[in-house]
């Protein structure tokens, strides 16, 4: 929910964008599989959606018009806007409910940022371990990772340096952070 709008993602790939009072519902079509993540820009002008169809889509909140589609080719689990609404952070691989953990290799997730002004994607993490579920808090990007060889913990991205571990849980994984 943002301002006077709410959004709901559906299993078949459709999104419903509705005024907070339940009136004026717009069906947004473009995804072909389950919608897994939604985020409003801070200025309520854009809605980002991630899907198991391997795409991140941006929508105009007022008209419901599709503004951009990024085809990642891998399931997208998480999307979040930067505070200024000019960038989107996402993780283009969804494997949260797999039976195996502490995976290293080709299906390990990474964190990416898409710059709306420059129409460019940048891969932030490139670690053999899992880096996923990014959120933006102020000017910082936080994400979960098991790069320490143990449980998923919360890390803060450091531009030009190594991510900083924020939590040190050794019994349970940190899952689905929110901001």
């Amino acid at each position: 929910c943002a301002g006077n709008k709410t959004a709901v993602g559906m299993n078949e790939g459709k999104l419903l964008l509705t005024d907070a009072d339940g009136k004026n519902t717009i069906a947004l079509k473009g995804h072909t599989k389950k919608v897994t993540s939604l985020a409003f820009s801070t200025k309520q002008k854009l809605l980002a959606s991630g899907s198991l169809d391997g795409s991140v889509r941006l929508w105009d909140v007022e008209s419901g018009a599709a503004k951009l589609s990024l085809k990642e080719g891998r399931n997208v689990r998480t999307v979040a806007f930067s505070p200024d609404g000019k960038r989107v952070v996402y993780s283009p691989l969804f494997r949260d409910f797999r039976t195996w953990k502490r995976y290293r290799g080709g299906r390990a997730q990474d964190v990416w940022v898409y710059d709306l002004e420059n129409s460019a994607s940048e891969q932030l993490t490139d670690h053999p371990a899992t880096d996923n579920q990014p959120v933006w808090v102020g000017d910082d990007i936080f994400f979960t990772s098991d790069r320490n060889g143990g449980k998923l913990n919360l890390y803060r991205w450091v531009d030009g340096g190594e991510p900083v571990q924020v939590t040190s849980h050794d019994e349970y994984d940190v899952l689905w952070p929110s901001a």
Side-chain angles (χ1 to χ4, degrees):
C1 182
N4 67 341
K5 299 285 184 179
T6 61
V8 178
M10 311 296 274
N11 279 339
E12 71 277 4
K14 184 170 57 174
L15 289 95
L16 299 177
L17 183 63
T18 307
D19 291 343
D21 61 9
K23 299 178 183 175
N24 303 318
T25 298
I26 302 171
L28 308 179
K29 296 178 184 174
H31 289 297
T32 58
K33 293 184 179 177
K34 181 179 183 176
V35 175
T36 57
S37 184
L38 298 170
F40 283 97
S41 70
T42 55
K43 299 182 183 194
Q44 302 176 36
K45 294 182 181 177
L46 292 174
L47 172 68
S49 58
S51 170
L52 294 184
D53 67 7
S55 69
V56 174
R57 294 183 180 270
L58 299 181
W59 311 88
D60 180 276
V61 172
E62 295 304 319
S63 68
K67 303 294 276 182
L68 177 71
S69 177
L70 304 171
K71 286 300 280 181
E72 291 300 325
R74 304 197 300 176
N75 303 330
V76 176
R77 166 65 178 99
T78 308
V79 294
F81 278 99
S82 61
D84 62 8
K86 296 178 181 178
R87 294 173 291 165
V88 177
V89 65
Y90 60 98
S91 182
L93 184 58
F94 179 67
R95 58 177 196 80
D96 293 350
F97 301 106
R98 300 280 187 221
T99 56
W100 31 268
K101 297 190 178 202
R102 314 312 151 228
Y103 175 78
R104 304 293 191 261
R107 289 198 51 86
Q109 297 156 290
D110 287 305
V111 175
W112 291 71
V113 170
Y114 185 79
D115 185 319
L116 299 172
E117 290 184 330
N118 297 314
S119 299
S121 290
E122 176 187 5
Q123 184 175 355
L124 294 185
T125 64
D126 185 17
H127 195 276
T130 294
D131 295 330
N132 66 6
Q133 302 173 15
V135 295
W136 227 298
V137 180
D139 292 332
D140 293 317
I141 296 171
F142 291 83
F143 61 94
T144 60
S145 179
D146 62 1
R147 60 180 54 222
N148 63 3
K151 301 295 182 188
L152 285 169
N153 274 283
L154 194 63
Y155 285 76
R156 182 175 51 83
W157 170 252
V158 176
D159 195 23
E162 285 296 311
V164 174
Q165 187 171 342
V166 177
T167 62
S168 296
H169 299 291
D170 59 7
E171 190 172 353
Y172 298 105
D173 288 321
V174 171
L175 296 174
W176 307 298
S178 180

